[in-house]
Amino acid sequence: MRLGIFGGTFDPIHYAHLLLAETFREELRLDEVRFVPAAVPPHKQDDEITEGDKRVEMLKLAVAGRPSFRVDTSELSRGGVSYTVESLRRLREELPQAEIFFVMGGDSLAEFLTWKEPGEILKLATPVVARRGSDAPLDWSHLSGVASAERLAQIQQSQFVTPLVEISSTDIRRRRAAGRSIRYRLPRAVEEYILAQRLYERPRSGDT
Ligand code: ATP
């Protein structure tokens, strides 16, 4: 089984996430992509985040009808700061035979060495960096201290280019707080959920 992991805050999930996941699935010929919402993302520990069950509900609405997309709530059940290495260890135990890939943005590659146990992460799974066509070529020197030349060459073969879509969760939250339209930036069912639950009506301090 070829399994893809897509971690994020998903507050809320939007079409750029879904397009990234679909490109990831197709390019890497994955059997399944798991969306893994973080309980507390390491780089957003001081930020206000919507409750986990509401982020999960929006994810479920977004992937409904797409059997190869699944929502994995293990980081929320575990609670606390969500570290990739811990999630990958758990997945390895659950699926010892699977080949595991996890997708990250080109910006995350530059910060990879600040992640918890980067060398261990590269043993457990293959990072796949989604580069946007307009981005500068990726700088692989960020990984050279934690992986062998052979492993690096293997990792570099799994990269793909994702279409550039200028949608972000921050922008969607800001728009809601300003009473502006969020239509066509995320699936209609997710938009309806946001309106019904009255999410993002108040400006967030970190978003201003
Ligand atoms: P926020 O605006 O709240 O920081 P976000 O829209 O970046 O959120 P996250 O949940 O942090 O959403 O996203 C998870 C991952 O999805 C990011 O690390 C990034 O790699 C990817 N991603 C998000 N938006 C885009 C986009 N417009 N194009 C390509 N990748 C994206």
Side-chain angles (χ1 to χ4, degrees):
M1 181 199 192
R2 290 169 69 86
L3 175 67
I5 300 300
F6 182 17
T9 317
F10 304 116
D11 190 14
I13 179 151
H14 50 68
Y15 276 134
H17 292 137
L18 289 162
L19 185 56
L20 176 63
E22 180 65 3
T23 314
F24 181 37
R25 185 196 64 74
E26 188 175 45
E27 294 285 329
L28 275 293
R29 301 179 313 282
L30 302 171
D31 298 296
E32 185 178 303
V33 176
R34 287 198 192 180
F35 291 71
V36 189
V40 180
H43 59 292
K44 293 184 179 173
Q45 291 188 45
D46 298 326
D47 297 0
E48 182 188 334
I49 300 175
T50 302
E51 294 154 57
D53 56 355
K54 291 185 176 159
R55 288 183 286 128
V56 167
E57 202 50 48
M58 291 189 279
L59 277 162
K60 286 187 174 162
L61 289 168
V63 305
R66 189 80 172 118
S68 50
F69 284 2
R70 275 183 52 188
V71 184
D72 179 330
T73 56
S74 56
E75 290 192 350
L76 290 168
S77 317
R78 194 166 67 228
V81 179
S82 303
Y83 292 108
T84 300
V85 68
E86 288 167 13
S87 301
L88 293 176
R89 274 201 192 106
R90 186 196 53 78
L91 276 168
R92 263 274 149 261
E93 279 171 25
E94 183 193 327
L95 300 161
Q97 304 299 332
E99 193 170 351
I100 305 177
F101 300 87
F102 69 96
V103 70
M104 59 184 189
D107 45 342
S108 305
L109 181 62
E111 295 159 12
F112 187 73
L113 288 187
T114 69
W115 291 23
K116 190 178 174 190
E117 300 182 53
E120 194 57 26
I121 292 177
L122 299 186
K123 285 185 194 146
L124 290 161
T126 300
V128 180
V129 183
R131 192 169 63 84
R132 290 181 282 199
S134 56
D135 290 351
L138 296 170
D139 181 358
W140 293 101
S141 63
H142 296 296
L143 301 188
S144 54
V146 283
S148 66
E150 193 188 1
R151 180 78 179 116
L152 262 183
Q154 214 180 33
I155 290 170
Q156 287 184 37
Q157 279 170 11
S158 307
Q159 311 314 311
F160 66 90
V161 172
T162 185
L164 176 63
V165 182
E166 291 288 350
I167 299 175
S168 72
S169 301
T170 303
D171 185 52
I172 289 170
R173 294 193 302 268
R174 281 191 188 132
R175 287 179 153 269
R176 275 292 296 148
R180 298 179 64 194
S181 167
I182 57 170
R183 180 74 67 92
Y184 305 124
R185 288 165 199 268
L186 71 187
R188 183 77 173 125
V190 179
E191 181 188 351
E192 281 171 353
Y193 182 86
I194 289 171
L195 299 182
Q197 296 283 326
R198 308 194 60 173
L199 298 181
Y200 316 121
E201 287 186 352
R202 205 170 37 77
R204 263 188 202 174
S205 53
D207 286 351
T208 47

